[in-house]
Amino acid sequence: MSPIKELEKFLGECKSARVKKMLEGHINELKEEEKKEAEKAKEAEKKVEKAKAEKAKPERTAKPGELVVDGMGNGMMDDMAEYVDNSKIQFGLVKIPIGSGTFTRNKMINVVWAGEECPPLKRAKAMQKAGEVAKLFGATHATYNISQKSECNLDAAVKELKSVFVTDSGNFSTAQLRAEMEKRIKEAQPASPSGARKTAKDLGIKEDTVLLELRKSLGKFNWCLLEPSPDPLKMFNAGSKSIEEMHEYLEEDKVLFGLLRLGFGSGAYRRTKWICVTFVGEKVGPIARGKQVQCRGAMESALKPFSISIEVHGKEEATIEAIIDKVQGCFVKDDFDKSDINLVDAFKEALAEEIEENAAFFGDEEPTFDDNSLSVIKRIKDDGDLMWGLFSYA
């Protein structure tokens, strides 16, 4: 049953004039939203047709003798091994930080990959360009020549160029270096595809507006936590980045109630479910737990309609996988065959669509970078977001 039909059914059963008026407003908003989504679906079809037409056009090809980017990344040198080509001569620039704090030093390594299947003439021409590439890379601490994928990793490079990596204090450990790099890379990763966003409290948005947006299939908010207070409802917080973001605001010494919108799939294949959540923190005492959970029935009535009601005991149960496992029972044959779809992947696909839909409202800024060779080299050398780049001549 669609959310509009669910609301209309609840409206027919409702006896409160105030609640009826609020539901009528919700229904009208949802009908307008359905019209907009239908229009967007038409626009999406036009874009697909346009994309097909564009695909038929010849793509830009690199000019002969042009240095092109074969791969780049913000992880370890190990990742570069996926991009080396046995039929090519390739040149890599790798940044490896050593030390910590004010003693951190970036070591720049010029990697020369000589594919064993590269024809002799092609190999000779490419090797003639090695000096030109070295000038583009600028000052580096060492050149590392390799021809086997097993050599394209941090451990092998450090073993071959050990003197380059000795820290200022003279102490050195490959395991320590790898651990420090893994920590840096993990800390540098964004918390979510579009970065952190402000919550409803940050934006000063009240409960009624949040719940109205939450009822829409692609509304600006997709989760709302509430204090154990059915009349009036008191918002604890609300946000737009679903389960993982909600998890950050759960507190183990509280009982909270909430409404969570979960989408699965995108576009015409999207299915949306509304979940009523009762969260009981691990540190809530038995007396407080009993008193606060007593109002569960009233809270659920205030948050109707929803697809299913679940209990979450502690933050360990408030993960994507755990919650999706709890709500699988609300899917019916009209949705899709669960055996043919990974619900976690379908959820992530739907969330990405929601994040993109509401990016302008939350002021998201998507970083844009040119992926030409000079730009990539600059991003590696100038303390940018890249740790390595791999290049070859067309």
Side-chain angles (χ1 to χ4, degrees), residues 106-154:
N106 287 328
K107 300 297 183 181
M108 296 293 178
I109 310 300
N110 179 1
V111 179
V112 180
W113 165 266
E116 293 181 335
E117 295 175 10
C118 183
L121 185 59
K122 185 178 178 181
R123 178 189 296 260
K125 285 183 177 180
M127 283 302 189
Q128 286 176 359
K129 298 277 192 178
E132 185 179 314
V133 174
K135 287 181 181 178
L136 290 175
F137 286 175
T140 57
H141 295 87
T143 297
Y144 181 42
N145 295 289
I146 57 175
S147 59
Q148 302 287 333
K149 282 195 175 186
S150 59
E151 298 171 312
C152 191
N153 62 72
L154 181 66

Side-chain angles (χ1 to χ4, degrees), residues 5 38 71 80 122 138 167 205 217 262 278 282 332-333 357 363:
K5 288 181 179 178
M80 195 169 74
K122 185 178 178 181
T167 58
I205 298 175
S217 181
L262 297 183
T278 301
E282 293 288 350
V332 295
K333 290 181 180 178
E357 173 72 17

Side-chain angles (χ1 to χ4, degrees), residues 213-229:
E213 287 293 325
L214 209 155
R215 290 289 179 191
K216 299 175 184 176
S217 181
L218 293 171
K220 296 176 180 65
F221 296 96
N222 50 33
W223 65 269
C224 179
L225 292 174
L226 301 148
E227 302 276 5
S229 171

Side-chain angles (χ1 to χ4, degrees), residues 238-249:
S240 62
K241 307 200 77 175
S242 200
I243 298 170
E244 288 186 329
E245 184 183 51
M246 183 180 76
H247 182 276
E248 295 176 22
Y249 292 90

Side-chain angles (χ1 to χ4, degrees), residues 259-314:
L259 194 62
L260 175 64
R261 183 184 71 224
L262 297 183
F264 297 89
S266 60
Y269 298 99
R270 181 187 179 89
R271 298 293 181 268
T272 307
K273 301 296 179 182
W274 283 265
I275 317 300
C276 184
V277 179
T278 301
F279 171 77
V280 182
E282 293 288 350
K283 295 180 181 178
V284 178
I287 297 175
R289 182 191 301 243
K291 287 174 66 176
Q292 291 173 327
V293 172
Q294 276 180 359
C295 69
R296 177 175 176 175
M299 290 297 296
E300 289 186 351
S301 295
L303 293 172
K304 282 183 178 177
F306 46 79
S307 309
I308 192 172
S309 175
I310 64 171
E311 285 189 17
V312 175
H313 298 278

Side-chain angles (χ1 to χ4, degrees), residues 185-223:
I185 292 165
K186 187 176 181 180
E187 289 173 350
Q189 297 301 316
S192 57
S194 300
R197 277 181 172 178
K198 289 184 177 181
T199 63
K201 272 197 168 182
D202 296 329
L203 296 166
I205 298 175
K206 302 298 183 184
E207 296 88 349
D208 289 349
T209 304
V210 167
L211 291 172
L212 181 60
E213 287 293 325
L214 209 155
R215 290 289 179 191
K216 299 175 184 176
S217 181
L218 293 171
K220 296 176 180 65
F221 296 96
N222 50 33
W223 65 269

